[in-house]
Amino acid sequence: MLVELVGDAPPALHLAPLATIASSIATVREALTPYLAPAATVDHVRDLAAFDALAPQDGITAIYAVGHGWRAADGRYTVAVRATGAGETRLLDGDALLAAIARVVAREQRAVCFVDTCAAAALAATLPGAVGDRCTFVFASAADESALEYPLDRATRFALALRDALAREPADIDAVALALDLRRRLIAPGLLPPQQVSYWSLGSPLVLTRAGRSGTAAGAWKTHRVLRAALLTGGALAAIAVIAAAAYYRTHERIRITLGDLATIASDVQIEVARLEPATNQRVPLERFHAGASTQFRVLEPAADLLVVISARYTDGAPRALHFHLHHQPGWAWRAKNTDLRLPPAEEILRHPTMAYIPAGPWLKDETRTLTVNRQPYWIDIAPVTVQRYLPVALRAAASGAIERDRSVLLHDIQNAAGVEATGMTQLPKLLGDLGAVFSVIDAAERPIARTTPAEEAAALLPRVHVACPTCPAPMSLDEARAYCAGRGMRLPTRAQWELAARGTDGRRFPWGDRWNDAYGNAGFPPDVGKPMTLRPSGEFVGGASPYGVIDLVGNAGDWIEPEGAYEHTFMGGLYRYNRDDCTVFSTSPDTGEIWPRYEVTCRCVSR
């Protein structure tokens, strides 16, 4: 008998129906037909109600359950089935499923049950249950493993192996020996990952015999039922990865996400997977789901430029960026098809508020996009330090004598700004600008296109009044930047650390992709009409975040890095006054090394 139980999975699991239901039934039916007793019949029902209405029959029953299964939050094996002809879905745990099987296997009968689902061996935790010692079970996958289907072959991997095994075995075969044969077939080396077949058996041996002959300690072999159950596969703690045919295998990868002890410091954990397209600056959502009580997930995604984002509500209320950027290409290598993403320990996450986590792994470096490996994960500030955040630090350092007031860029600017205000020189740029406009009318033809205006030249001579923008990046010298990070128990990033945090793993030109977008970064000379060239507040260009969630990286103010090479003072990211093509994630800029930089350069720190 073929019993087709196809229930709807809980929406939170985001599971798609299997593509090989009808053909898998046909494959198994064909394989078992030679073992049918002459008088045996094969019925076909499609829901649990019809299945429960069946009366136990004489002989031995063959039950084949194929489809989707998963482990619930408590670890119990769970399936979804059609409960009535109207299509109502009912969730069955392992005990309930065994009870349903027991109702059609009389106490004097024996049965062999093939469980071809994801996490199939998880059912063993509830055995023997209602079936006692009457049934021998053969599981197609381990308790934490996915079972596979082949869309091109239109059957599950286990169904095809069962067909081949039964066709080649001798006339009489012990059910346990069959399970061992299936295990050898599904763990054989190949392009696809191994599938761990196991079994559970009590009582006397059960023997399958061809051509209507039977032999067991209990009596004659009579195959008269095949239970076809589509049991829904796994979200929360189970595997969702179906690599079907060779083409499908080549273009997909399996990602295992381990949250660890994140639940001890966070709630409302959500996982989002998106495909990135740097050529068009696009981010295409693929799926999003709540973690619930689960701590580990397996998702099957295209082998592409992917971003996995773990967001949550943290107990301390601080924002954090836990992003994983994967740049994979279609291929055949098994190692490249499986990626493990592990969050750092909760204690470490809690110690780094307002910082982005940069995991270890390969990435494309420099303008040449050279393959490089980051071997040590680290944390980096999501945003540069602002004037309002750094000013109290600078004032305390000056008061304690840790730094001379005249050697602090910000304090020096404030002092000079006060002097400019007191002497009334703030009107100088406007006056010179008006005068320049007069001369430009007199001799406009001789004015070079790239020449700055008198107002711009005057403004460049005056002190920068950063205090007027408390949320702008704080200007500082290299020594100040080092001291600021050291005071936090951190340090300045190296060039490679800054670049990786800014561009991710795929070798993009700007943090958001390969095309400049004025809405994502503050840069461009000459400026557009009506757009002033000035420093902008940090966080104004959130759309320009890198794949790791780091913001305000190119244009606006530069970021100090630990010097490398000939230059002792180097910053990254360019400036608002730079040409857009010079504000890339890989361009370094030297500074004069004087007490006060020629440019607006700030800092962001990394963990030691």
Side-chain angles (χ1 to χ4, degrees), residues 271-483:
I271 300 175
E272 177 187 359
V273 183
R275 185 178 71 249
L276 303 183
E277 298 177 357
T280 57
N281 298 347
Q282 296 296 310
R283 175 173 169 173
V284 182
L286 296 179
E287 61 177 308
R288 182 184 180 92
F289 54 92
H290 288 270
S294 304
T295 59
Q296 189 175 92
F297 304 86
R298 287 182 181 176
V299 293
L300 186 68
E301 302 293 349
D305 198 343
L306 299 179
L307 181 64
V308 180
V309 182
I310 294 94
S311 58
R313 184 180 296 111
Y314 290 92
T315 54
D316 64 359
R320 289 172 176 82
L322 295 172
H323 297 188
F324 294 85
H325 187 197
L326 309 175
H327 181 54
H328 293 165
Q329 299 291 336
W332 301 103
W334 166 243
R335 184 182 298 273
K337 292 296 179 183
N338 290 269
T339 302
D340 283 339
L341 304 183
R342 294 180 177 272
L343 268 63
E347 180 186 4
E348 182 180 338
I349 297 175
L350 209 59
R351 288 201 314 267
H352 297 92
T354 67
M355 300 191 81
Y357 178 66
I358 313 297
W363 63 290
L364 302 179
K365 181 183 179 183
D366 296 333
E367 189 172 10
T368 57
R369 294 164 55 93
T370 303
L371 181 62
T372 310
V373 176
N374 173 43
R375 303 191 180 280
Q376 182 65 42
Y378 58 95
W379 296 80
I380 189 169
D381 286 333
I382 294 175
V385 59
T386 61
V387 169
Q388 64 184 5
R389 182 176 178 182
Y390 179 64
L391 181 56
V393 177
L395 290 173
R396 286 195 300 269
S400 67
I403 187 173
E404 296 181 23
R405 181 176 291 269
D406 288 342
R407 290 181 175 271
S408 169
V409 177
L410 181 59
L411 298 183
H412 186 268
D413 279 355
I414 293 174
Q415 183 177 348
N416 283 356
V420 170
E421 185 71 28
T423 58
M425 293 181 63
T426 53
Q427 297 299 317
L428 182 58
K430 181 180 185 303
L431 295 175
L432 291 180
D434 293 341
L435 182 61
V438 174
F439 284 106
S440 65
V441 173
I442 297 174
D443 197 2
E446 294 185 3
R447 184 179 180 187
I449 295 176
R451 182 179 176 183
T452 58
T453 66
E456 291 170 342
E457 293 175 354
L461 296 174
L462 294 177
R464 299 183 296 266
V465 189
H466 295 286
V467 288
C469 178
T471 58
C472 285
M476 61 183 68
S477 67
L478 177 58
D479 288 341
E480 283 185 280
R482 285 171 170 163

Side-chain angles (χ1 to χ4, degrees), residues 559-571:
D559 279 355
W560 285 117
I561 60 171
E562 277 298 334
E564 297 178 5
Y567 291 107
E568 295 183 359
H569 295 70
T570 307
F571 64 90

Side-chain angles (χ1 to χ4, degrees), residues 179-205:
L180 296 175
D181 184 19
L182 290 169
R183 175 187 292 175
R184 286 191 294 270
R185 293 173 184 272
L186 294 185
I187 66 172
L191 290 175
L192 293 176
Q195 198 166 313
Q196 299 294 328
V197 175
S198 59
Y199 66 90
W200 182 96
S201 180
L202 287 178
S204 57

